[in-house]
């Protein structure tokens, strides 16, 4: 099962907070899991490979200079996704039995006022399976879309040849999706899909800007936000179908580096 959860938040006092709270949201998610299953929280924190979760920064808060301004009574949100079927099933159960009522970020208290996991209620939330996501395109009777558009809602960057690259080239974006899909999905896609994206997919539109994210130990990461559209030049049905599967998967897995701490919040767009 694939899980994308929106926690809607409010606060009763104003504050100025750091401009990017992805690490704070990740820490609070682990704290919540730790109250229910300490061993699982420890495993998620200590994993040294692709991790089966993503966490957003604080959404809907506005920058005031170099800080986020939070106002009392206004509505904000954070997002958590799960890529591992077993973890998703646990989260689904815990949200039904012990949903969180508080979600502090950077020592500021927020109350959880609503939880969404339904695409019809919130476009960045959803619930599906790998099998369902694959079958829509791989077993469909219609020709898959050649044009694939994405919204990059948080800074997105990739590690390439030992460097951080804030440019979503086709091979990097679809290669990132492919790695995560094959790491957790029971329906494997061919590794040659990365080469297909590199050689047969072009950027046909983009409106992107770079954003800086302060990271630990005063380091800074540069990522791209905005919109980008790719067009497949080779219309082989199988390869197009596989690209469409990965495009739908982006909502749940994120793209590029540091997706567990707020980077690479990406979804397919119209």
């Amino acid at each position: 099962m694939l899980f994308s959860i929106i926690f809607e938040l409010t606060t009763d006092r104003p504050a100025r907070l750091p401009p990017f709270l992805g690490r704070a949201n990740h820490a609070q998610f682990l704290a919540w899991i730790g109250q229910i299953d300490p061993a699982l929280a420890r495993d998620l924190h200590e994993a040294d490979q692709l991790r089966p979760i993503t966490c957003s920064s604080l959404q809907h808060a506005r920058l005031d200079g170099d800080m986020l301004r939070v106002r009392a009574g206004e509505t904000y949100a954070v997002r958590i996704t799960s890529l591992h079927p077993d973890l998703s099933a646990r989260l689904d159960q815990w949200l039904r039995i012990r949903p969180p009522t508080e979600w502090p970020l950077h020592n500021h208290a927020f109350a959880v006022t609503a939880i969404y996991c339904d695409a019809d209620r919130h476009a960045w939330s959803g619930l599906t399976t790998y099998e369902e996501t694959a079958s829509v395109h791989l077993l469909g009777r219609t020709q898959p879309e050649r044009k694939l558009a994405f919204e990059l809602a948080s800074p997105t960057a990739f590690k390439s040849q030992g460097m951080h690259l804030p440019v979503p080239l086709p091979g990097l974006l679809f290669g990132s999706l492919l790695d995560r899909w094959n790491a957790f999905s029971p329906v494997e896609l061919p590794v040659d899909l990365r080469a297909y994206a590199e050689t047969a997919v072009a950027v046909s539109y983009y409106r992107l800007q770079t954003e800086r994210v302060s990271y630990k130990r005063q380091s800074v990461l540069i990522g791209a936000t905005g919109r980008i559209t790719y067009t497949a030049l080779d219309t082989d049905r199988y390869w197009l179908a596989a690209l469409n599967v990965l495009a739908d998967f982006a909502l749940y897995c994120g793209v590029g580096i540091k997706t567990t701490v707020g980077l690479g919040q990406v979804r397919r767009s119209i």
Side-chain angles (χ1 to χ4, degrees):
M1 186 160 57
L2 294 164
F3 220 38
S4 177
I5 314 159
I6 298 288
F7 294 110
E8 198 169 82
L9 310 176
T10 190
T11 182
D12 60 3
R13 58 186 178 90
R16 286 170 57 84
L17 301 175
F20 198 77
L21 293 170
R23 288 180 62 82
N25 187 29
H26 178 246
Q28 176 54 30
F29 173 71
L30 293 180
W32 174 56
I33 296 297
Q35 295 172 2
I36 306 168
D37 189 334
L40 175 60
R42 184 171 57 253
D43 290 344
L44 290 173
H45 177 69
E46 296 177 351
D48 58 359
Q49 52 189 357
L50 289 175
R51 298 183 184 183
I53 59 169
T54 78
C55 301
S56 75
S57 182
L58 183 66
Q59 300 172 350
H60 314 313
R62 293 185 178 182
L63 277 174
D64 181 9
D66 60 352
M67 301 290 283
L68 285 181
R69 179 179 290 276
V70 172
R71 300 180 184 274
E74 294 194 357
T75 299
Y76 305 98
V78 292
R79 190 169 78 104
I80 305 293
T81 74
S82 167
L83 313 184
H84 195 287
D86 292 343
L87 175 60
S88 297
R90 291 190 192 183
L91 291 176
D92 184 40
Q93 179 184 27
W94 294 333
L95 286 173
R96 297 175 192 276
I97 298 174
R98 294 180 59 183
T101 58
E102 298 178 346
W103 203 265
L105 297 173
H106 198 71
N107 298 318
H108 185 82
F110 289 90
V112 178
T113 57
I115 300 174
Y116 299 111
C117 191
D118 182 344
D120 291 333
R121 299 182 65 193
H122 196 294
W124 281 90
S125 72
L127 175 65
T128 187
T129 66
Y130 286 99
E131 292 85 353
E132 289 172 351
T133 304
S135 65
V136 167
H137 302 291
L138 294 177
L139 302 181
R141 296 181 180 179
T142 59
Q143 183 72 359
E145 294 289 336
R146 287 182 58 207
K147 291 184 179 294
L148 302 168
F150 294 87
E151 176 186 354
L152 282 60
S154 72
T156 302
F158 305 85
K159 192 168 185 179
S160 177
Q161 298 181 356
M163 298 180 291
H164 289 159
L165 183 65
V167 182
L169 297 174
L172 295 176
L173 184 137
F174 287 104
S176 173
L177 294 171
L178 178 64
D179 288 343
R180 287 171 169 83
W181 176 276
N182 283 343
F184 301 109
S185 172
V187 183
E188 188 171 357
L189 293 174
V191 295
D192 290 345
L193 186 56
R194 185 192 305 270
Y196 174 81
E198 291 173 346
T199 59
V201 178
V203 174
S204 53
Y205 168 86
Y206 67 90
R207 180 171 290 180
L208 300 170
Q209 56 278 333
T210 56
E211 291 189 19
R212 298 162 59 90
V213 176
S214 297
Y215 197 56
K216 58 184 179 181
R217 298 176 184 174
Q218 299 183 333
S219 62
V220 173
L221 292 172
I222 308 296
T225 61
R227 294 180 180 272
I228 189 166
T229 300
Y230 305 94
T231 300
L233 307 179
D234 179 343
T235 58
D236 176 89
R237 192 197 180 286
Y238 176 78
W239 294 117
L240 286 182
L243 284 185
N244 277 265
V245 170
L246 294 181
D248 289 350
F249 180 52
L251 172 70
Y252 300 95
C253 81
V255 171
I257 62 172
K258 307 296 183 185
T259 56
T260 58
V261 291
L263 272 68
Q265 294 274 302
V266 174
R267 66 168 178 166
R268 186 175 187 171
S269 61
I270 299 174

